[in-house]
Tab-separated table of all heavy atoms in Angstrom:
chain	number	residue	atom	x	y	z
A	338	LEU	N	44.406	13.201	34.764
A	338	LEU	CA	44.560	14.019	35.962
A	338	LEU	C	44.270	13.195	37.206
A	338	LEU	O	43.181	12.620	37.342
A	338	LEU	CB	43.615	15.224	35.915
A	338	LEU	CG	43.769	16.168	34.718
A	338	LEU	CD1	42.811	17.350	34.849
A	338	LEU	CD2	45.204	16.660	34.580
A	363	PHE	N	50.991	12.444	33.546
A	363	PHE	CA	49.923	12.661	34.510
A	363	PHE	C	49.976	14.086	35.052
A	363	PHE	O	51.064	14.647	35.260
A	363	PHE	CB	50.021	11.662	35.664
A	363	PHE	CG	49.379	10.338	35.364
A	363	PHE	CD1	50.004	9.419	34.530
A	363	PHE	CD2	48.134	10.020	35.885
A	363	PHE	CE1	49.419	8.213	34.227
A	363	PHE	CE2	47.533	8.809	35.594
A	363	PHE	CZ	48.172	7.899	34.760
A	364	GLY	N	48.800	14.663	35.283
A	364	GLY	CA	48.673	15.965	35.911
A	364	GLY	C	47.768	15.869	37.125
A	364	GLY	O	47.549	14.781	37.671
A	365	GLN	N	47.229	16.982	37.548
A	365	GLN	CA	46.426	17.029	38.768
A	365	GLN	C	45.209	17.917	38.556
A	365	GLN	O	45.313	18.992	37.954
A	365	GLN	CB	47.255	17.575	39.938
A	365	GLN	CG	46.494	17.695	41.258
A	365	GLN	CD	47.297	18.405	42.341
A	365	GLN	OE1	48.313	19.039	42.050
A	365	GLN	NE2	46.846	18.329	43.575
A	366	GLU	N	44.061	17.454	39.046
A	366	GLU	CA	42.895	18.332	39.141
A	366	GLU	C	42.771	18.791	40.587
A	366	GLU	O	42.619	17.969	41.503
A	366	GLU	CB	41.609	17.635	38.708
A	366	GLU	CG	40.419	18.593	38.711
A	366	GLU	CD	39.165	18.020	38.098
A	366	GLU	OE1	39.160	16.839	37.719
A	366	GLU	OE2	38.176	18.778	37.983
A	367	VAL	N	42.856	20.094	40.790
A	367	VAL	CA	42.692	20.707	42.113
A	367	VAL	C	41.237	21.139	42.197
A	367	VAL	O	40.772	21.949	41.401
A	367	VAL	CB	43.650	21.894	42.294
A	367	VAL	CG1	43.425	22.558	43.637
A	367	VAL	CG2	45.096	21.416	42.172
A	375	LEU	N	40.542	23.274	38.851
A	375	LEU	CA	41.727	23.585	38.052
A	375	LEU	C	42.332	22.306	37.499
A	375	LEU	O	42.383	21.277	38.177
A	375	LEU	CB	42.782	24.292	38.906
A	375	LEU	CG	42.366	25.559	39.631
A	375	LEU	CD1	43.530	26.063	40.489
A	375	LEU	CD2	41.917	26.624	38.655
A	376	GLY	N	42.827	22.382	36.272
A	376	GLY	CA	43.625	21.309	35.696
A	376	GLY	C	45.059	21.782	35.556
A	376	GLY	O	45.321	22.794	34.904
A	377	LEU	N	45.995	21.065	36.180
A	377	LEU	CA	47.413	21.417	36.146
A	377	LEU	C	48.162	20.325	35.394
A	377	LEU	O	48.135	19.152	35.799
A	377	LEU	CB	47.979	21.544	37.561
A	377	LEU	CG	47.194	22.419	38.555
A	377	LEU	CD1	47.895	22.431	39.908
A	377	LEU	CD2	47.018	23.831	38.024
A	378	ILE	N	48.833	20.671	34.295
A	378	ILE	CA	49.607	19.698	33.536
A	378	ILE	C	51.044	20.191	33.415
A	378	ILE	O	51.327	21.383	33.568
A	378	ILE	CB	49.000	19.440	32.143
A	378	ILE	CG1	49.046	20.696	31.273
A	378	ILE	CG2	47.571	18.924	32.274
A	378	ILE	CD1	48.599	20.459	29.832
A	379	GLY	N	51.958	19.252	33.157
A	379	GLY	CA	53.370	19.601	33.058
A	379	GLY	C	53.989	19.955	34.391
A	379	GLY	O	54.994	20.660	34.436
A	380	ILE	N	53.403	19.440	35.489
A	380	ILE	CA	53.891	19.789	36.826
A	380	ILE	C	54.871	18.734	37.330
A	380	ILE	O	54.826	17.574	36.914
A	380	ILE	CB	52.730	19.946	37.820
A	380	ILE	CG1	51.884	18.661	37.880
A	380	ILE	CG2	51.861	21.127	37.428
A	380	ILE	CD1	50.793	18.689	38.928
A	384	PHE	N	50.041	19.973	44.096
A	384	PHE	CA	49.623	21.084	44.938
A	384	PHE	C	48.803	20.541	46.107
A	384	PHE	O	47.927	19.696	45.920
A	384	PHE	CB	48.782	22.089	44.147
A	384	PHE	CG	48.358	23.293	44.965
A	384	PHE	CD1	49.231	24.344	45.152
A	384	PHE	CD2	47.106	23.349	45.541
A	384	PHE	CE1	48.864	25.449	45.913
A	384	PHE	CE2	46.720	24.441	46.303
A	384	PHE	CZ	47.608	25.491	46.487
A	406	ALA	N	47.735	27.669	43.251
A	406	ALA	CA	47.970	26.447	42.489
A	406	ALA	C	48.403	26.771	41.060
A	406	ALA	O	49.304	26.129	40.502
A	406	ALA	CB	46.718	25.584	42.479
A	407	LEU	N	47.766	27.767	40.449
A	407	LEU	CA	48.128	28.155	39.088
A	407	LEU	C	49.570	28.656	39.028
A	407	LEU	O	50.320	28.330	38.094
A	407	LEU	CB	47.178	29.237	38.585
A	407	LEU	CG	45.716	28.817	38.417
A	407	LEU	CD1	44.847	30.041	38.145
A	407	LEU	CD2	45.563	27.796	37.303
A	409	GLN	N	52.031	27.877	41.128
A	409	GLN	CA	52.957	26.771	41.360
A	409	GLN	C	53.183	25.998	40.069
A	409	GLN	O	54.319	25.634	39.733
A	409	GLN	CB	52.413	25.833	42.440
A	409	GLN	CG	53.291	24.602	42.658
A	409	GLN	CD	52.826	23.747	43.812
A	409	GLN	OE1	52.724	24.221	44.942
A	409	GLN	NE2	52.525	22.473	43.544
A	410	ALA	N	52.103	25.737	39.323
A	410	ALA	CA	52.255	25.035	38.044
A	410	ALA	C	53.126	25.839	37.088
A	410	ALA	O	54.000	25.281	36.408
A	410	ALA	CB	50.879	24.782	37.429
A	416	VAL	N	51.273	24.181	32.908
A	416	VAL	CA	50.175	24.983	32.394
A	416	VAL	C	48.968	24.773	33.294
A	416	VAL	O	48.625	23.638	33.630
A	416	VAL	CB	49.838	24.582	30.940
A	416	VAL	CG1	48.589	25.293	30.449
A	416	VAL	CG2	51.020	24.882	30.024
A	417	GLY	N	48.306	25.870	33.670
A	417	GLY	CA	47.126	25.808	34.517
A	417	GLY	C	45.886	26.261	33.773
A	417	GLY	O	45.927	27.225	32.999
A	418	SER	N	44.776	25.572	34.024
A	418	SER	CA	43.536	25.855	33.319
A	418	SER	C	42.363	25.756	34.277
A	418	SER	O	42.414	25.000	35.257
A	418	SER	CB	43.336	24.855	32.176
A	418	SER	OG	42.149	25.099	31.459
Side-chain angles (χ1 to χ4, degrees):
L338 302 183
F363 276 76
Q365 179 187 14
E366 184 171 4
V367 177
L375 304 177
L377 310 180
I378 64 174
I380 57 175
F384 182 82
L407 295 170
Q409 176 174 302
V416 173
S418 180

